[in-house]
């Protein structure tokens, strides 16, 4: 999937046309570029896009310009059962307007609101992540809310960091009924198990090779692997010394 975000008139129009011609579903995110588009321009963007993403002010402006409420706007989107309009509402959460229903995704309360700069981008990163993996618009918006709540607690637009553990924890605590809960946790657990098993097998294999190279009576183990060790490399008739470290 793709996203057409604020840029020049020409760039946004060209990007939308390219996505549409290649049958790539995309989000129309007019942002601060919204005032420069006329009704006909907006109608073209909307008819070619699968999703629209706006904040509260942009949503009101868009509705006023085209004469269609956000609740009705999904009917004008490119035909797609997952098509919808996302409207962020700051500390009030966000709305998801689809063909079938309008859903309020409740906000995530944070202890320390530092800087809202970049929260909209963080939210869009979340919905892109979810939509690209086939999650419902509502679950994608939940991920967007989580990323926005992480971002707002850090100064600057891109100084925050995220990891799967934090996101999974916030997901469990705030959206326990989400359909993506088991997907993340199970896949993370499986990946961790596979990683541990693979690493253990690699360690054992390396130790066996080194002990065989050193000779009988050697008791090399992984615990001393980071220490300088004299070992033998059979490379033809060449023998060399080396230090092992991880």
């Amino acid at each position: 999937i793709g996203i057409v975000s604020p840029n020049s008139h020409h760039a946004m129009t060209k990007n939308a046309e390219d996505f549409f011609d290649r049958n790539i579903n995309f989000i129309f995110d007019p942002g601060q570029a919204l005032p420069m588009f006329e009704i006909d321009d907006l109608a073209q963007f909307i008819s070619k896009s699968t999703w629209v993403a706006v904040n509260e002010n942009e949503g009101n402006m868009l509705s006023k310009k085209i004469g269609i409420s956000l609740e009705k706007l999904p009917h004008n989107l490119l035909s797609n059962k997952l098509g919808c309009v996302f409207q962020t509402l700051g500390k009030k959460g966000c709305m998801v307007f689809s063909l079938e229903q309008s859903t309020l995704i409740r906000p995530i309360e944070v202890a320390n609101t530092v800087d809202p700069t970049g929260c909209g981008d963080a939210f869009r990163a979340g919905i892109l992540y979810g939509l690209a993996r086939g999650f419902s618009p509502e679950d994608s918006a939940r991920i967007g809310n989580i990323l926005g709540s992480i971002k707002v607690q850090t100064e600057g637009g891109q100084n925050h960091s995220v990891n799967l553990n934090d996101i999974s924890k916030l997901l469990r605590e705030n959206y326990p009924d989400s359909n993506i809960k088991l997907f993340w946790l199970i896949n993370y657990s499986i990946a961790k198990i596979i990683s541990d098993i693979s690493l253990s097998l690699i360690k054992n294999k390396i130790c066996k090779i080194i002990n065989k190279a050193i000779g009988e009576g050697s008791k090399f183990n992984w615990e001393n692997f980071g220490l300088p060790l004299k070992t033998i490399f059979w490379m033809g008739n060449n023998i060399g010394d080396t230090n092992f470290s991880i």
Side-chain angles (χ1 to χ4, degrees):
I1 68 173
I3 184 169
V4 174
S5 52
N7 206 318
S8 68
H9 189 293
H10 172 76
M12 292 180 71
T13 302
K14 183 67 166 60
N15 290 339
E17 290 175 350
D18 287 345
F19 282 136
F20 182 75
D21 291 343
R22 291 167 172 77
N23 295 316
I24 298 174
N25 294 324
F26 69 90
I27 299 172
F28 175 47
D29 171 26
Q32 63 268 29
L34 181 57
M36 73 178 173
F37 293 110
E38 301 298 331
I39 297 177
D40 291 342
D41 296 324
L42 294 171
Q44 285 295 312
F45 279 119
I46 292 168
S47 66
K48 293 176 180 177
S49 62
T50 301
W51 308 279
V52 172
V54 290
N55 63 25
E56 193 165 12
N57 291 331
E58 294 160 0
N60 294 335
M61 184 185 300
L62 179 62
S63 293
K64 185 176 181 179
K65 272 201 162 194
I66 63 177
I68 302 174
S69 67
L70 295 185
E71 291 88 346
K72 300 292 184 181
L73 193 56
H75 294 277
N76 295 66
L77 294 169
L78 184 67
S79 180
N80 188 310
K81 65 180 181 179
L82 291 180
C84 72
V85 176
F86 298 96
Q87 183 185 32
T88 55
L89 303 172
K91 63 182 180 180
K92 294 179 288 184
C94 71
M95 288 295 301
V96 177
F97 301 103
S98 66
L99 290 173
E100 298 179 351
Q101 61 188 0
S102 298
T103 306
L104 173 65
I105 307 299
R106 65 179 183 276
I108 294 178
E109 295 184 6
V110 298
N112 188 26
T113 299
V114 177
D115 183 5
T117 305
C119 287
D121 292 335
F123 176 84
R124 283 152 181 75
I127 59 175
L128 281 167
Y129 179 94
L131 294 172
R133 285 158 179 77
F135 297 164
S136 69
E138 291 78 14
D139 276 338
S140 298
R142 292 180 179 104
I143 301 173
N145 271 2
I146 288 172
L147 295 185
S149 73
I150 294 173
K151 158 66 228 23
V152 79
Q153 300 179 74
T154 304
E155 186 75 32
Q158 298 181 357
N159 296 325
H160 60 293
S161 60
V162 297
N163 63 66
L164 186 59
N165 286 334
D166 291 341
I167 295 173
S168 295
K169 182 174 183 291
L170 288 169
L171 188 64
R172 293 194 305 271
E173 292 175 348
N174 293 275
Y175 307 116
D177 298 328
S178 170
N179 292 326
I180 61 177
K181 177 178 61 175
L182 292 180
F183 176 87
W184 280 9
L185 298 182
I186 290 175
N187 276 273
Y188 176 76
S189 299
I190 292 174
K192 183 70 168 60
I193 292 171
I194 293 174
S195 176
D196 290 345
I197 292 175
S198 299
L199 183 58
S200 177
L201 291 174
I202 292 172
K203 287 179 179 180
N204 290 336
K205 183 67 173 178
I206 291 174
C207 290
K208 287 181 181 179
I209 293 173
I210 293 175
N211 283 324
K212 183 177 180 180
I214 293 174
E216 294 184 7
S218 60
K219 295 182 179 180
F220 174 78
N221 57 60
W222 193 258
E223 281 65 33
N224 61 17
F225 195 65
L227 300 175
L229 176 70
K230 182 175 182 178
T231 190
I232 301 173
F233 283 89
W234 296 100
M235 301 173 61
N237 294 322
N238 295 322
I239 298 178
D241 295 342
T242 188
N243 289 333
F244 280 84
S245 61
I246 287 296

